[in-house]
Amino acid sequence: MTWLFNPPAPVALSIIGRQALFPVRRILCVGQNYAAHAREMGADPTREAPFFFAKPCDALTTEAEVPFPSATENLHHEVELVCAIGGEGADLSPAAAGNLIIGWAVGVDLTRRDIQAEAKSRGRPWDASKGFDHSAPCGPLTLGALPNPGGAIALAVNGEMRQSARLDQMIWSPAEVVAQASRLWRLMPGDLIFTGTPEGVGPVVRGDRIEAAIAGLAPLTFTLT
Ligand code: MN
């Protein structure tokens, strides 16, 4: 096999306590999965089926420095629990979907809120607001069951708490989110699913230090440069 040019390097997450890396295939994200965040975005937090958007897998970054994106005056942080998929399946029950989740990480769904607001108002797609380069900072994976399903999820900017909630405040549990996703895509090993953010999203600027944490998981810290 020869290539016209070199294929891109695989995108990977490190795994706590393991030498092996998790190869990332695809990043799916769920919108408005905490009632208080749905309300702060002007939506009705009823238990409608969750909706999804995607980020390209090379939007993932594990670097301590994340470049501030172009073309936005209103970059927002969204701390999220990330599910790592380790098996294949489609049209799954929540129980079967839960069995596909082999690990967990802390992620931040960086969002160009100004571009997203324009897209929403004009009925345009979200790609430029959600799927830009370096838009998915993510910490290392912890394999196994979620250590503390009712535990804290939080994000601080320059030491000031901005988001503070509990994982059991999700409208749809991680297994339910993965089950819903599996009705829309055949899930495969290497897929990551961002499960939505709690309330308290807000703007960040160049130089800000962002610390994201979920009970029992390795924290994620990065600086916008
Ligand atoms: Mn999000």
Side-chain angles (χ1 to χ4, degrees):
M1 174 82 72
T2 60
W3 302 102
L4 185 61
F5 49 85
N6 289 333
V11 176
L13 278 181
S14 62
I15 301 171
I16 301 291
R18 297 281 284 268
Q19 290 292 318
L21 300 174
F22 179 90
V24 178
R25 172 176 180 262
R26 187 163 58 184
I27 303 172
L28 301 174
C29 307
V30 66
Q32 294 172 0
N33 195 28
Y34 291 79
H37 173 61
R39 282 192 292 270
E40 78 179 349
M41 299 305 293
D44 176 13
T46 51
R47 199 175 146 92
E48 294 176 11
F51 67 92
F52 293 87
F53 57 92
K55 294 176 187 263
C57 77
D58 63 3
L60 189 105
T61 177
T62 58
E63 301 294 322
E65 295 191 337
V66 173
F68 191 91
S70 60
T72 184
E73 303 294 322
N74 194 18
L75 181 71
H76 273 208
H77 57 79
E78 298 189 355
V79 61
E80 309 202 3
L81 175 66
V82 178
C83 303
I85 302 299
E88 176 179 352
D91 206 16
L92 302 168
S93 68
N99 288 334
L100 286 195
I101 305 172
I102 61 162
W104 309 86
V106 179
V108 172
D109 167 16
L110 288 174
T111 302
R112 285 168 167 147
R113 194 69 78 200
D114 40 5
I115 291 182
Q116 186 197 33
E118 184 180 11
K120 284 181 175 180
S121 71
R122 303 178 74 166
R124 289 180 174 170
W126 284 14
D127 304 58
S129 64
K130 289 289 198 178
F132 52 90
D133 297 343
H134 316 289
S135 61
C138 193
L141 276 184
T142 296
L143 297 183
L146 182 59
N148 189 346
I153 176 170
L155 182 142
V157 179
N158 303 323
E160 179 189 335
M161 192 69 77
R162 295 275 191 90
Q163 295 185 268
S164 179
R166 293 194 326 270
L167 295 176
D168 58 10
Q169 292 172 324
M170 287 185 185
I171 297 170
W172 297 87
S173 72
E176 289 173 331
V177 166
V178 172
Q180 293 278 354
S182 79
R183 300 177 62 184
L184 298 164
W185 297 273
R186 172 168 293 277
L187 300 179
M188 299 291 287
D191 290 348
L192 294 177
I193 301 186
F194 281 55
T195 58
T197 195
E199 69 278 17
V201 301
V204 282
V205 298
R206 270 192 191 83
D208 280 350
R209 177 179 167 84
I210 293 157
E211 298 173 277
I214 293 175
L217 302 181
L220 166 65
T221 301
F222 60 93
T223 300
L224 290 167
T225 61

